Amino acid sequence: MSGGWNTIESDAGVFTYLLDNLGVKDVQFEELLTLEPDALASLYPVYGVIFLFKYPTDRPYTTTEKPLDGDFDHDASERLFFAAQTIQNACGTQALLSCLLNKEGEVEIGSSLKDFKEFTMMLPPEFRGEALSNSELIRDVHNSFAKSSPFVDETQRTGGETEDAFHFVAYTPINGTLYELDGLQPAPITHGACTSDEFPTKVMEVLQKRINRYDITEIRFNLMAMVRDLRIKAREIGDMDMLEREERKRRDWQFENALRRHNFVGFAGAVMKGVVEQKLKQGGGAYEKWVEDAKETTKKRLEGRRRGGGEDIEMEG
């Protein structure tokens, strides 16, 4: 989509290499599968977390009075990076930058992002959001991690149904305060005093309270921590097994990101053409039998899916 922002997945490998391509040094993301503070604390140093959740439709989300948790800090935007969200599909990258750009000094953010921050800090939050949306560098890097979609999106319903929407927000400790940075809200939200050491416990308390507002059957949440490159820690403590695991993880992430970018339609077509030609050469009704077997297999799969309660749901950011 020329000039626009495409959807990217909430994936540690995507976000880590997105950082790398923006020029950030020695930072990665780790997915968290639990809200236990110890799991987050074990990744020390932790710069912040990014939380993906289903956008609520049963109550107003934005407010100018008071958020559901914490308090608005309208003066904070003058001293920390906070940008209003002006485009929907950029919310993942915006949450990433909301955390990252407030860690300059702790993290080497690179010259391009440093210039972007210096320029936008002179602007009010709404214009920072516009500057982010119009940044060719950030948009191009963001879009380079979008899934290749050669077909029309068949998930767009035409029968009046609406798809679930998801949203990213960042939580990070800044100057002794735990902040929630959500571009859909009018200002940063403060959740009280919080040191870096206290962050794992305090942020998990805030997230647990937030999750508890959802129905118990809602499980589509994703939590990623922004941490120092774990390969550095492995070298510091001399854990060669850990270092090999982290290097292998990076190789896997690179492979998965390459697959995301690739359009396999031509490959699939060539394989199908070759299989059909082979079946036709076999003769004796082999082609017709192959087609009928495929139809029967598809029929059984659809019947099994109906009995199982419908299609699976994939969560993306």
Side-chain angles (χ1 to χ4, degrees):
M1 183 169 59
S2 177
W5 293 71
N6 300 334
T7 301
I8 63 172
E9 294 177 75
S10 179
D11 179 86
V14 168
F15 276 52
T16 296
Y17 277 97
L18 194 155
L19 284 177
D20 282 1
N21 289 0
L22 287 172
V24 181
K25 304 295 184 184
D26 300 332
V27 181
Q28 73 174 76
F29 278 88
E30 277 291 296
E31 185 173 0
L32 295 168
L33 303 179
T34 174
L35 292 180
E36 290 296 325
D38 288 349
L40 181 57
S42 68
L43 300 171
Y44 183 87
V46 179
Y47 306 120
V49 299
I50 294 179
F51 182 55
L52 174 70
F53 59 95
K54 179 183 173 183
Y55 191 88
T57 57
D58 58 342
R59 61 183 181 273
Y61 181 69
T62 58
T63 177
T64 57
E65 299 176 358
K66 189 181 186 306
L68 289 174
D69 298 307
D71 296 286
F72 287 127
D73 187 346
H74 291 279
D75 295 329
S77 297
E78 296 180 7
R79 59 183 183 274
L80 59 82
F81 181 84
F82 174 76
Q85 184 175 318
T86 62
I87 187 167
Q88 179 180 0
N89 290 342
C91 67
T93 295
Q94 181 156 340
L96 178 155
L97 293 174
S98 294
C99 182
L100 176 73
L101 296 185
N102 286 301
K103 295 300 171 181
E104 186 182 8
E106 297 179 53
V107 173
E108 185 179 342
I109 65 174
S111 58
S112 296
L113 290 183
K114 184 176 181 180
D115 291 344
F116 174 81
K117 180 183 177 183
E118 288 179 353
F119 168 71
T120 57
M121 285 301 290
M122 298 183 293
L123 306 172
E126 57 269 27
F127 290 121
R128 291 178 194 168
E130 289 293 339
L132 171 58
S133 299
N134 291 314
S135 168
E136 290 188 14
L137 168 67
I138 298 173
R139 183 180 64 239
D140 290 348
V141 171
H142 169 102
N143 283 346
S144 72
F145 290 94
K147 282 186 175 180
S148 178
S149 301
F151 301 115
V152 175
D153 186 0
E154 295 179 350
T155 64
Q156 298 298 319
R157 310 288 200 261
T158 56
E161 299 180 37
T162 57
E163 287 187 57
D164 291 334
F166 294 87
H167 183 53
F168 291 90
V169 297
Y171 293 86
T172 183
I174 305 172
N175 298 327
T177 300
L178 172 54
Y179 279 104
E180 175 184 337
L181 302 173
D182 180 351
L184 293 181
Q185 299 292 358
I189 298 172
T190 173
H191 292 282
C194 177
T195 65
S196 295
D197 289 340
E198 295 171 326
F199 177 66
T201 298
K202 294 198 171 184
V203 74
M204 291 306 187
E205 291 173 354
V206 172
L207 291 172
Q208 188 65 68
K209 182 184 277 189
R210 184 169 199 154
I211 289 172
N212 287 344
R213 290 198 176 94
Y214 287 81
D215 188 276
I216 195 171
T217 60
E218 179 57 66
I219 60 172
R220 290 172 293 173
F221 302 101
N222 183 264
L223 182 63
M224 293 187 296
M226 181 186 289
V227 302
R228 187 176 63 158
D229 189 332
L230 293 174
R231 295 174 298 181
I232 298 175
K233 180 178 181 180
R235 294 188 186 102
E236 287 177 346
I237 64 177
D239 189 335
M240 294 301 103
D241 289 338
M242 177 183 177
L243 180 59
E244 174 54 30
R245 287 196 302 272
E246 292 303 318
E247 293 286 7
R248 185 166 58 248
K249 183 194 300 178
R250 291 286 181 132
R251 292 192 295 269
D252 290 343
W253 282 346
Q254 286 182 313
F255 179 69
E256 291 163 2
N257 288 335
L259 292 181
R260 287 183 177 94
R261 296 187 183 98
H262 194 74
N263 180 350
F264 288 95
V265 172
F267 173 75
V271 171
M272 181 63 71
K273 181 179 178 181
V275 171
V276 170
E277 289 177 350
Q278 186 63 32
K279 291 294 182 181
L280 289 174
K281 287 179 180 178
Q282 291 178 5
Y287 174 77
E288 289 77 8
K289 183 178 184 304
W290 176 59
V291 172
E292 291 303 318
D293 288 347
K295 288 181 179 178
E296 185 63 27
T297 299
T298 301
K299 181 179 178 182
K300 289 179 179 178
R301 184 177 295 121
L302 291 173
E303 289 175 351
R305 183 176 294 174
R306 293 190 192 99
R307 289 194 298 269
E311 298 180 351
D312 294 333
I313 300 174
E314 181 180 358
M315 183 173 71
E316 297 183 359

